[in-house]
Amino acid sequence: MKHEVKKAEGNVSAVMQFVLLGFSDLSNLQGFLFGVFSIIYIIIIIGNSLIIILTRLDPALQKPMYFFLANFALLEISYVTVTLPRMLVNLWTQDRSISMLECATQMCFFLMLGATECFLLAVMAYDRYAAVCNPLHYPLVMNQKMCVQLAVGSWIIGIPVQIGQTAQIFCLHFCNSNQVNHFFCDIPPIIKLACGDTFVHEMSVYVVAMLFVAVPFMLILASYSKIFSTILKLPTASGQAKAFSTCSSHLLVVVLFFGSATITYLRPKSNHSAGMDKLLSLFYTIVTPMFNPMIYSLRNKDVIAALRKLLFKKQHTR
């Protein structure tokens, strides 16, 4: 492993390069982990790409709900690609070094895409609210222009703030140790390596987390409180079941993503442990994106029908 440091004034070693420890403590399982994470990455790429293809090709899926789902699938591919390929290279080569610029770039894209996911999930909740609570006005409210604006807004809203936050964190002085006890450059393990008082930076992380995690989550809760009150007023049990089934997949993804992300970024510093941070990060950066295509496809009749149609066409053309 490379430990590149540079002598600064006052005989303090300034870190120029980090070492991602990742799963180096599991020395006997490096090959096994490489195989498992490679399979997961392939599943994520294929599953989410299939959703994008289906929503583009099938006329029955030309609806706002599936437009946002295609955006979400593209986001999941991008989100995982920021962290997983680097982790696979580290497992394969056992060279865990990463330059400060590469580390900052990885963190910045990870944070930007994480913010996009929060707001896109909120937009998808609003779409379900419009469909269930205002079905007659739904085609007017969620027209193509509005859908594009909401999607583009979700993709770009976090860019300036997260670039600023990443720059602020990497303006810190890192000294003595350059070993990041994580499998990618995330905020908590990087701040741990900073020397001096990091209170202001930690507070800024909480503020940004509240802005990009808590606010979308509150909007989602507001949407679903209206949705559930509307569903409970429906006269028939079958109508209630049908209305709830259109929301259940999204609700499950929201619980999985926001639950793990909230515990990671908003719990007190005293409760942080490297092992728990890695486990939670694995959950919302890799496990959830792997299950999202299954959650949306297996619980959605339109997607299953489109998939059957696509497979049937392929069999017919052979």
Side-chain angles (χ1 to χ4, degrees), residues 49 60 66 75 92 107 114 152 158 200 211 227 264 272 284 310 312:
S49 297
Y66 300 110
L75 173 65
W92 183 256
M107 181 188 285
V152 170
V200 173
L211 186 65
I227 288 167
T264 301
H272 277 257
Y284 70 84
L310 183 69
F312 185 73

Side-chain angles (χ1 to χ4, degrees), residues 10-282:
N11 291 323
V12 176
S13 294
V15 173
M16 301 298 290
Q17 182 168 279
F18 292 111
V19 176
L20 293 169
L21 294 181
F23 303 99
S24 56
D25 52 329
L26 305 171
S27 55
N28 297 328
L29 297 175
Q30 299 298 293
F32 172 75
L33 290 173
F34 177 82
V36 169
F37 289 129
S38 296
I39 292 166
I40 289 173
Y41 189 45
I42 291 165
I43 290 169
I44 290 168
I45 297 293
I46 293 173
N48 286 288
S49 297
L50 197 56
I51 285 178
I52 295 169
I53 292 164
L54 289 174
T55 54
R56 293 291 295 169
L57 295 181
D58 197 291
L61 301 183
Q62 304 303 308
K63 299 173 185 175
M65 176 181 173
Y66 300 110
F67 169 75
F68 294 125
L69 182 55
N71 272 270
F72 191 69
L74 177 61
L75 173 65
E76 296 290 62
I77 292 170
S78 307
Y79 193 59
V80 172
T81 301
V82 169
T83 57
L84 200 44
R86 179 87 203 193
M87 184 168 68
L88 290 173
V89 169
N90 292 350
L91 285 167
W92 183 256
T93 63
Q94 295 299 299
D95 177 10
R96 294 175 163 74
S97 59
I98 183 170
S99 71
M100 191 174 282
L101 179 60
E102 289 172 332
C103 192
T105 303
Q106 186 185 56
M107 181 188 285
C108 189
F109 276 99
F110 177 78
L111 294 175
M112 287 190 297
L113 293 169
T116 299
E117 181 145 0
C118 292
F119 280 97
L120 194 54
L121 286 169
V123 165
M124 292 167 83
Y126 174 71
D127 172 67
R128 292 299 83 212
Y129 158 76
V132 173
C133 301
N134 298 298
L136 296 177
H137 294 108
Y138 179 65
L140 295 172
V141 174
M142 298 304 289
N143 56 57
Q144 189 178 11
K145 185 182 177 183
M146 174 62 80
C147 290
V148 171
Q149 286 174 343
L150 288 170
V152 170
S154 299
W155 280 95
I156 66 171
I157 193 167
I159 292 175
V161 175
Q162 300 300 0
I163 288 174
Q165 175 152 286
T166 304
Q168 184 189 40
I169 288 168
F170 281 88
C171 282
L172 288 165
H173 293 289
F174 302 99
C175 49
N176 303 323
S177 175
N178 66 345
Q179 296 189 346
V180 181
N181 198 357
H182 214 322
F183 58 89
F184 72 99
C185 292
D186 200 5
I187 294 175
I190 294 292
I191 285 185
K192 277 183 184 177
L193 300 182
C195 43
D197 186 17
T198 59
F199 177 76
V200 173
H201 296 82
E202 287 167 25
M203 285 301 101
S204 76
V205 170
Y206 278 108
V207 169
V208 172
M210 290 297 289
L211 186 65
F212 288 103
V213 177
V215 171
F217 188 63
M218 294 304 290
L219 292 172
I220 291 167
L221 285 180
S223 295
Y224 273 103
S225 63
K226 290 278 189 182
I227 288 167
F228 289 141
S229 65
T230 302
I231 288 173
L232 292 173
K233 289 174 187 173
L234 293 174
T236 63
S238 61
Q240 290 178 351
K242 186 179 178 183
F244 184 74
S245 69
T246 65
C247 306
S248 57
S249 299
H250 176 258
L251 197 56
L252 184 56
V253 170
V254 165
V255 171
L256 289 172
F257 177 78
F258 278 98
S260 53
T262 301
I263 295 168
T264 301
Y265 291 101
L266 295 179
R267 75 185 194 277
K269 188 183 177 183
S270 58
N271 292 345
H272 277 257
S273 70
M276 183 57 73
D277 282 351
K278 284 184 207 176
L279 189 64
L280 287 166
S281 298
L282 270 179

